[in-house]
Amino acid sequence: MKTNIENIDDLRAERARLKNQITISRMKLKQQFSLMKEELQPARQALSFTKSLLINNSKSDSVVGMGLRFGVNALLRNTVLARASWLTRLVVPYVANNFVSKYVAKNDTAIIQKTVEWVKDKTNEENTRIIPKRSLAEKGLLWIKKITKDEEKP
């Protein structure tokens, strides 16, 4: 769109119109950019979550975290992933270890406290019952007694 410029006033008017058009174009561009950022937000969150699982950046490592990571690693490699492909056996324990270490880093004291309470409950003298171990012969005789016992008829 070309306009005929004949004097200085026409030049100033055209210059003002072009500046206005540039300002409007910039505003539209910023609006479109912000809309694109909003549309990409779920993908950015998913990428951030995946990155947090794959990258281990915990500086301090507690004994609880090391123990849990060792247990998770042994459990996954020896039971769940025993027959999986080599790639799966490489990636899944790594991701699980990172997840466990991040969880333990956030909840370290709560995990220790719950563990101590559980041990106290299990070792409480009131709750402990000693169940006598029976020999195989004794179990067999008790089974025969149970089967041959006459049922009471009402």
Side-chain angles (χ1 to χ4, degrees):
M1 179 168 147
K2 207 170 195 181
T3 58
N4 291 336
I5 300 174
E6 295 178 3
N7 57 24
I8 193 78
D9 291 334
D10 291 343
L11 180 64
R12 287 183 183 148
E14 182 64 20
R15 188 172 178 198
R17 186 187 68 79
L18 290 175
K19 281 186 178 182
N20 190 20
Q21 191 175 7
I22 287 173
T23 306
I24 291 172
S25 296
R26 283 183 182 165
M27 287 175 30
K28 284 182 180 178
L29 189 62
K30 285 181 182 179
Q31 184 181 17
Q32 287 175 351
F33 187 71
S34 66
L35 287 174
M36 271 195 338
K37 279 176 64 176
E38 286 178 16
E39 288 177 3
L40 292 176
Q41 186 64 23
R44 289 174 62 197
Q45 288 176 345
L47 186 64
S48 173
F49 178 74
T50 306
K51 180 181 173 185
S52 72
L53 285 180
L54 295 176
I55 296 175
N56 188 6
N57 57 2
S58 61
K59 303 286 188 242
S60 63
D61 204 7
S62 66
V63 175
V64 175
M66 289 182 351
L68 280 175
R69 275 200 329 276
F70 178 74
V72 166
N73 197 13
L75 179 73
L76 287 176
R77 287 186 193 266
N78 296 333
T79 57
V80 178
L81 301 174
R83 296 183 183 208
S85 68
W86 67 271
L87 182 63
T88 306
R89 287 192 350 232
L90 181 72
V91 172
V92 171
Y94 181 74
V95 171
N97 283 338
N98 284 341
F99 180 75
V100 166
S101 66
K102 288 182 187 310
Y103 179 78
V104 168
K106 290 180 183 175
N107 304 315
D108 197 11
T109 56
I111 291 172
I112 292 173
Q113 190 175 22
K114 286 180 183 178
T115 305
V116 168
E117 289 174 5
W118 181 79
V119 168
K120 281 183 182 178
D121 288 343
K122 292 298 180 184
T123 58
N124 192 359
E125 291 179 19
E126 297 171 4
N127 293 338
T128 56
R129 285 187 337 194
I130 298 175
I131 300 173
K133 300 224 175 194
R134 296 186 171 142
S135 67
L136 187 59
E138 189 177 358
K139 288 179 184 177
L141 290 173
L142 287 172
W143 179 74
I144 291 172
K145 180 180 175 184
K146 180 180 171 185
I147 289 189
T148 58
K149 182 178 171 183
D150 290 333
E151 294 182 16
E152 295 180 21
K153 296 180 181 177

